[in-house]
Structure formats: structure tokens, C-alpha cells
Amino acid sequence: MKTFRTMLKTELKISLRGMDMFIFAICVPVVVLAILGILYGNRPAYEGAEYTFLEQSFGALATISICAGGVMGLPLVVSDYRGKGILKRYQVTPVSPSLILLVQVTIYTLYAVFSLLLLCLTAVIFFDCQFRGSPVVFFGGYLLIIVSMFSIGMMVGGIAPNTKMAGVIASILYFPMLIFSGGDAALRGHARSTAKNRGYITADAGNKIAEISLPGITG
């Protein structure tokens, strides 16, 4: 456990030094939330709705950080460790290579959780959002997205021949998920065909659970 804490502290410092995940996993979701809040305010999601557009979109906004870490951060880190032979070197030490991978998963989970807390505080304090639904269902969907995205990220990092190719694959996966799975401001304006096809995006299943849980949507 002491080894895990030491490695976590060191790897977290390295990750924060890069600033990429701080921007995409922490800052971007809050900025998008602020833009939606300014544009839509307390406007209902649709005429007669008991919840606002912002409350309905909260679940999708909460997944931006997970997608950034899962399909952008993890593949690059794992591929980089493989390319530099770091994982092989751990095999001849008392520390298992799986421990460093667990540390990386923990770091990106921390990013996602911190982003979620920051979104909640921003939505409640500045935009008077009220979450009347089921926290249990929401966190169930949230956990589903984390497991799905991080599994994809580990797989991409494991099969990519080099870091450059991992970056290309990560970009191909990340941006369609961000745009079509619900983690964008224009989701409600998607054409019917696009909205139908987004059901094939991995993050969409968890997004649907998250979107209907907190506002208390029943239909």
C-alpha cells in the first residue's frame, strides 16, 4: 500500500505537469457547463418539462472528463510505457507492472470524480440546478461509463504499436464520442439520423442512464 501511495503521488505530479488532462478533464466540462448555463439559464428542457435543459444535460457533461481520460489519456500513457520498456523493467522488480497500470487508472478516476464534484458545485451555486432523481442510478451509469471508457483506453494502449499511432486511434475514438454521445452543447439539435446512430457510441448507454436519473425524468 505504501508503494502504491508513493507511485500515485509521483505519477499524479507528472500528469499535472503535462496540463493536458487538467485542461480537457477539469476545465473543459466546467466551461461547457457555464456556456450552457449562460445561454439557456433556467429554460425548461422542452415546453412543460419539470426540469431545465441544463439539468437534463448534466449527465452528458459529467462524461466529458471520463472520455478525455479513458480514450485520450490512458492510451497514450500505456503506449508510452510499453514503447520505453518501462513495464518490462517492472517485471524484474518486486513491483508488478499491473501496479503502475492501476495507479494510472486511479489517477484518471480522480480526474473524473474531481470534475464531477466541480460540475455539481458550479451547477448548484451559479445556475440553481436541482437534482431530484436517483443518485444510485446516476452513479450506476457513471460507473458504467468509467469501466467502458477505461477498458477501451487500456486496450488501445496495449495494441497500438507506438505512441504516435495510439494518439491517432485515441483521436478517432475521442472526438466522435464527445460529439455524438451527448457530451456536447448541440446534442438536442442533432438531426434524427444522427441521434439514432449515436446509439452505437459506447458512452451513449451510460449517458442515457445519467441523463434520466438526476432530473427525475420518468419518460
Side-chain angles (χ1 to χ4, degrees):
M1 196 64 184
K2 183 179 179 181
T3 303
F4 176 82
R5 289 197 301 267
T6 302
M7 294 179 67
L8 178 62
K9 183 178 179 180
T10 303
E11 292 294 325
L12 185 57
K13 286 182 179 179
I14 295 174
S15 179
L16 289 173
R17 196 177 301 161
M19 291 298 292
D20 293 343
M21 283 300 104
F22 177 78
I23 294 173
F24 288 101
I26 304 298
C27 298
V28 169
V30 176
V31 170
V32 175
L33 174 67
I35 293 174
L36 288 180
I38 293 172
L39 291 177
Y40 294 97
N42 292 324
R43 187 184 305 176
Y46 57 88
E47 187 175 353
E50 297 180 356
Y51 46 87
T52 66
F53 177 87
L54 189 59
E55 290 170 356
Q56 185 183 25
S57 302
F58 184 85
L61 295 174
T63 64
I64 295 178
S65 176
I66 301 175
C67 288
V71 297
M72 283 292 285
L74 269 178
L76 296 179
V77 171
V78 174
S79 177
D80 185 49
Y81 283 173
R82 287 179 56 242
K84 294 178 178 178
I86 294 176
L87 298 180
K88 287 184 178 180
R89 294 172 188 172
Y90 272 110
Q91 291 179 348
V92 296
T93 68
V95 179
S96 171
S98 60
L99 183 61
I100 187 66
L101 298 179
L102 178 60
V103 167
Q104 292 299 328
V105 170
T106 303
I107 289 174
Y108 289 107
T109 301
L110 290 175
Y111 277 129
V113 172
F114 183 78
S115 176
L116 177 62
L117 293 175
L118 195 58
L119 284 172
C120 287
L121 291 175
T122 305
V124 172
I125 295 174
F126 294 101
F127 301 106
D128 196 28
C129 285
Q130 299 179 12
F131 303 121
R132 300 174 292 270
S134 171
V136 175
V137 176
F138 174 82
F139 285 111
Y142 194 75
L143 180 61
L144 173 63
I145 303 172
I146 288 180
V147 173
S148 301
M149 293 297 99
F150 286 10
S151 297
I152 292 173
M154 295 291 282
M155 180 188 70
V156 171
I159 64 177
N162 51 59
T163 305
K164 183 179 293 185
M165 183 58 64
V168 172
I169 298 174
S171 297
I172 294 174
L173 290 173
Y174 173 69
F175 290 105
M177 285 188 183
L178 178 66
I179 296 172
F180 297 118
S181 70
D184 68 316
L187 171 64
R188 310 305 167 193
H190 284 171
R192 288 186 177 182
S193 59
T194 304
K196 180 180 179 180
N197 292 333
R198 77 186 183 97
Y200 297 102
I201 302 296
T202 305
D204 187 58
N207 275 347
K208 288 177 179 177
I209 297 174
E211 286 178 359
I212 67 174
S213 57
L214 287 189
I217 302 173
T218 57

